[in-house]
Amino acid sequence: MTQTITFIVTKECQLVCKYCYLVGKNANEKMSFEVAKKAIDYLLDRQSDYPAESVIFDFIGGEPLLEIALIDQICDYIKTQLYLKNHHWFNSYRFAISTNGLLYNNKKVQQFIFKNKQHLSIGITIDGTKQKHDLNRIYKNGKGSYDDVVRCIPLWLSQFPDASTKVTISHEDLPYVKESVEHLFDLGIKTVNINVVFEDVWSEGDDKILEEQLVLLADHIIDNKLYVEYTCSFFNKDIGYPLDSAKDNQNWCGAGKMIAIDALGNFYPCTRFAKYSLREKEPRITGNINTGIDRNKLRPFLALTRTSQSTEECLKCDVASGCAWCQGENYDAAETPTIYQRSMAICKMHKARVRANRYYWQRLKDMEK
């Protein structure tokens, strides 16, 4: 079991990605070291409340590398305190950063990597080909960011050869899925995690396009035996089956078990419940560094199950396994301020993935005959 603690170090970003769920990005809300220090002291002084064997200290934005000096200071403090407190996370921790990659070659970033590499994971987001990437991942002036990101990929992979990237699919870029995953493999990225956006952006026929793209991708991977060395998360043996009610009743994500902290020192059950992540709803604050975490405000999150938030249609679906959801999006899209109403916006997209997934594994099985 691993505890995740997320620092929202800034809400600023160089990009205005069209599909980004962070609707409230701004240049004003930046974390101070004093806020981070208080949060760390509060959490590390409560070892019995957080018994997980390991911990991930996650740094996000906006774009977190805009605040690399602060991140470096926070990480130094964490390491020192883990040692001084003889904490059970000492030597069982990891720092994680998700970045748009634009500052990866920066001298201060590289110094930070050199100092922390043994306990560090960095993911660079690149959406695929230049055409697909530049459709959504754009600067504030409308210019695409692909050229500035791709030049950082060789250094990144030389430092983190097993690193993966996260590809996001939205309505506009569906026709470029197959060639984009191929392109990422060609860049040397061996693990491509890919998902459709959870928001309700899908049009009639989008599921057919996704299925066609994934079938073509399956043929490319199998015909070239890329499955020996490369992985695309869309192809998974464990998805697309009816639910086993005895095994499949947990919540999809760790909302409530995770901890997120913002610049004001507020705690959240997940970053998706902070104000800058929400379109319609009020933030769900579970505490503050000065008053602590209110366990009663966590209770609704810890009680979440698949059954408690899903419709009968979802629970009885023949291909329900592997159908994901985002707890924050459920809350934001719900008719009332509840976290117990599951959004079904990606239903048809999941079913399209399942059909392509079955094609992929059947082809591999047929090859064994």
Side-chain angles (χ1 to χ4, degrees):
M1 186 170 66
T2 301
Q3 177 70 55
T4 300
I5 299 171
T6 300
F7 295 89
I8 306 171
V9 291
T10 180
K11 295 183 180 177
E12 170 68 312
C13 186
Q14 311 98 314
L15 303 181
V16 285
C17 302
K18 295 177 185 177
Y19 53 55
C20 185
Y21 62 84
L22 299 175
V23 295
K25 289 189 290 189
N26 65 82
N28 300 319
E29 296 179 73
K30 298 179 182 180
M31 183 175 286
S32 69
F33 176 65
E34 285 307 309
V35 165
K37 181 177 177 293
K38 276 192 175 183
I40 294 162
D41 289 343
Y42 173 82
L43 296 169
L44 295 189
D45 283 342
R46 287 161 176 77
Q47 293 197 46
S48 60
D49 290 342
Y50 304 103
E53 294 179 2
S54 303
V55 63
I56 296 172
F57 295 102
D58 190 25
F59 299 93
I60 67 164
E63 170 48 44
L65 293 186
L66 288 168
E67 296 297 320
I68 190 60
L70 172 63
I71 292 173
D72 189 30
Q73 192 176 14
I74 292 172
C75 291
D76 282 351
Y77 186 73
I78 288 171
K79 289 182 289 187
T80 301
Q81 292 305 304
L82 289 176
Y83 173 76
L84 292 175
K85 296 176 187 295
N86 193 27
H87 200 285
H88 66 274
W89 287 336
F90 180 68
N91 212 32
S92 189
Y93 66 90
R94 180 157 291 275
F95 301 131
I97 299 175
S98 295
T99 173
N100 58 33
L102 299 176
L103 293 173
Y104 192 82
N105 290 342
N106 177 275
K107 182 179 178 181
K108 290 183 179 179
V109 172
Q110 286 302 306
Q111 288 172 340
F112 172 82
I113 291 171
F114 180 78
K115 183 165 69 173
N116 294 284
K117 192 170 184 297
Q118 298 305 313
H119 289 273
L120 181 63
S121 299
I122 296 184
I124 292 179
T125 300
I126 180 169
D127 260 0
T129 61
K130 179 178 173 63
Q131 187 171 17
K132 180 184 181 322
H133 185 99
D134 284 351
L135 269 175
N136 287 304
R137 302 189 65 80
I138 58 175
Y139 288 100
K140 295 170 185 177
N141 63 5
K143 177 179 176 288
S145 62
Y146 174 86
D147 292 336
D148 295 326
V149 177
V150 76
R151 66 170 59 104
C152 299
I153 299 302
L155 176 59
W156 173 55
L157 291 177
S158 73
Q159 294 171 329
F160 301 95
D162 296 323
S164 63
T165 193
K166 183 175 76 69
V167 175
T168 300
I169 300 173
S170 60
H171 167 74
E172 276 190 313
D173 54 38
L174 277 168
Y176 311 109
V177 171
K178 181 249 185 186
E179 64 185 41
S180 287
V181 176
E182 289 177 20
H183 178 64
L184 295 173
F185 287 165
D186 288 342
L187 289 176
I189 301 171
K190 294 184 178 180
T191 301
V192 175
N193 295 313
I194 188 167
N195 63 273
V196 299
V197 298
F198 289 102
E199 290 78 17
D200 190 7
V201 301
W202 305 107
S203 300
E204 185 70 29
D206 280 352
D207 53 329
K208 300 297 183 185
I209 299 173
L210 178 62
E211 181 180 358
E212 291 166 2
Q213 284 291 302
L214 293 181
V215 166
L216 290 172
L217 177 60
D219 285 337
H220 177 78
I221 290 173
I222 293 170
D223 290 345
N224 293 280
K225 293 186 169 57
L226 297 178
Y227 53 83
V228 174
E229 194 174 357
Y230 297 87
T231 301
C232 174
S233 65
F234 258 149
F235 301 122
N236 186 318
K237 278 186 176 181
D238 297 325
I239 72 165
Y241 300 98
L243 295 174
D244 181 337
S245 57
K247 296 179 181 178
D248 297 324
N249 198 34
Q250 68 275 11
N251 193 25
W252 182 263
C253 73
K257 298 174 183 176
M258 302 181 287
I259 301 168
I261 309 114
D262 71 2
L264 296 176
N266 290 322
F267 290 113
Y268 300 89
C270 166
T271 58
R272 284 298 299 258
F273 289 90
K275 181 63 177 176
Y276 81 141
S277 299
L278 298 167
R279 302 180 303 276
E280 305 292 340
K281 300 294 195 302
E282 290 300 309
R284 296 286 290 260
I285 298 171
T286 54
N288 186 272
I289 55 174
N290 297 311
T291 57
I293 292 175
D294 186 339
R295 298 287 165 179
N296 285 326
K297 292 182 178 179
L298 284 178
R299 288 177 187 271
F301 293 91
L302 300 180
L304 281 163
T305 63
R306 182 186 293 265
T307 301
S308 66
Q309 60 188 302
S310 300
T311 64
E312 280 297 301
E313 180 184 352
C314 288
L315 295 175
K316 294 180 178 179
C317 177
D318 288 340
V319 295
S321 66
C323 186
W325 63 84
C326 168
Q327 209 64 54
E329 175 57 23
N330 287 354
Y331 171 62
D332 212 7
E335 297 161 359
T336 62
T338 180
I339 58 172
Y340 284 87
Q341 182 177 326
R342 180 175 164 188
S343 170
M344 296 176 64
I346 68 166
C347 177
K348 67 180 182 180
M349 305 306 284
H350 170 71
K351 291 177 179 177
R353 177 197 176 190
V354 168
R355 292 191 295 269
N357 187 67
R358 288 177 174 173
Y359 172 83
Y360 175 86
W361 291 107
Q362 187 61 51
R363 269 210 64 188
L364 284 178
K365 186 177 180 179
D366 290 344
M367 289 171 60
E368 297 173 356
K369 296 179 181 178

